[in-house]
Amino acid sequence: MRTARAPSAIVLALALAGCVSLLPKSKPAQLYRFELPPSASVAPAPTATTILLGDIGFTPASEGDQILTVRGDEAAYIAAARWVSPARRLFEAAIRDAFARDGGNVRLLAQGELAPAAFVLKLDVRRFEVDYAGDEPTVRIDVFAALSAARGAPGERTRTFSAAVPASANRVSAIVPAFDAAVAHVAGDLTAWVAAG
């Protein structure tokens, strides 16, 4: 009795294994990242003002690795397309890169760097999406920035930076370069504002 059950169990396991291999495979997602325009890195001046970049706030719907689209009150993610890592991390890397290249007399402290900072820069990304309100998809980014003294000195400067870059076509291969341009625009304006003091 026991010997009859063992072969039938083996046959059933082999049959199930064969079924698993016949199931349709999902198409892998295409991965994207930001490509900022090439620029030579500029070494900060010896007397550069050091700034600590605080945690970057991001809207929950767009902080992950999916590409958010909106049309009126409807929101959706682009199918089979993802950022190579969460948008929050890619955006922070782009900001750090912008300061390294164009910061002039400002130096962002590296993550984990134990050095005194003169100022703290806080960013809140309030919009990071593809807007389908018009005739063509438009990448829209809104970032609220607050710059304050690190040692509790009074005074804080704030400003909102925005970019709206239309995609050349309604396809991912055209939308991603629009994100590149929008991120570069916001990063450039932000670094100039901080450097201007």
Side-chain angles (χ1 to χ4, degrees):
M1 195 104 173
R2 289 181 182 170
T3 55
R5 287 183 182 170
S8 61
I10 292 171
V11 170
L12 179 60
L14 291 173
L16 288 175
C19 289
V20 170
S21 66
L22 295 176
L23 291 175
K25 295 180 180 177
S26 60
K27 183 180 178 183
Q30 183 68 43
L31 300 179
Y32 298 93
R33 61 182 182 169
F34 304 144
E35 292 286 342
L36 297 182
S39 172
S41 293
V42 177
T47 56
T49 302
T50 53
I51 294 182
L52 174 67
L53 180 61
D55 286 338
I56 297 178
F58 235 89
T59 59
S62 61
E63 71 179 343
D65 66 351
Q66 293 181 296
I67 302 174
L68 178 66
T69 68
V70 294
R71 186 189 301 270
D73 342 0
E74 298 179 3
Y77 294 110
I78 297 177
R82 297 242 194 279
W83 298 119
V84 72
S85 62
R88 177 200 295 263
R89 291 185 186 170
L90 289 175
F91 185 79
E92 179 178 347
I95 294 300
R96 288 189 175 280
D97 186 52
F99 273 97
R101 300 198 273 173
D102 305 316
N105 63 337
V106 171
R107 182 176 76 85
L108 284 188
L109 295 176
Q111 292 174 327
E113 182 178 352
L114 299 176
F119 295 92
V120 176
L121 176 62
K122 295 180 181 176
L123 302 178
D124 185 19
V125 181
R126 297 177 174 176
R127 193 172 191 186
F128 195 83
E129 62 200 26
V130 185
D131 185 5
Y132 278 88
D135 296 334
E136 54 196 0
T138 300
V139 171
R140 298 190 184 275
I141 299 177
D142 293 330
V143 180
F144 175 79
L147 185 66
S148 57
R151 295 176 186 85
E156 178 181 68
R157 291 195 304 141
T158 62
R159 184 172 161 187
T160 298
F161 298 91
S162 298
V165 179
S168 60
N170 187 19
R171 57 178 184 272
V172 182
S173 60
I175 289 170
V176 170
F179 266 106
D180 294 342
V183 169
H185 179 81
V186 167
D189 286 353
L190 175 66
T191 54
W193 175 73
V194 172

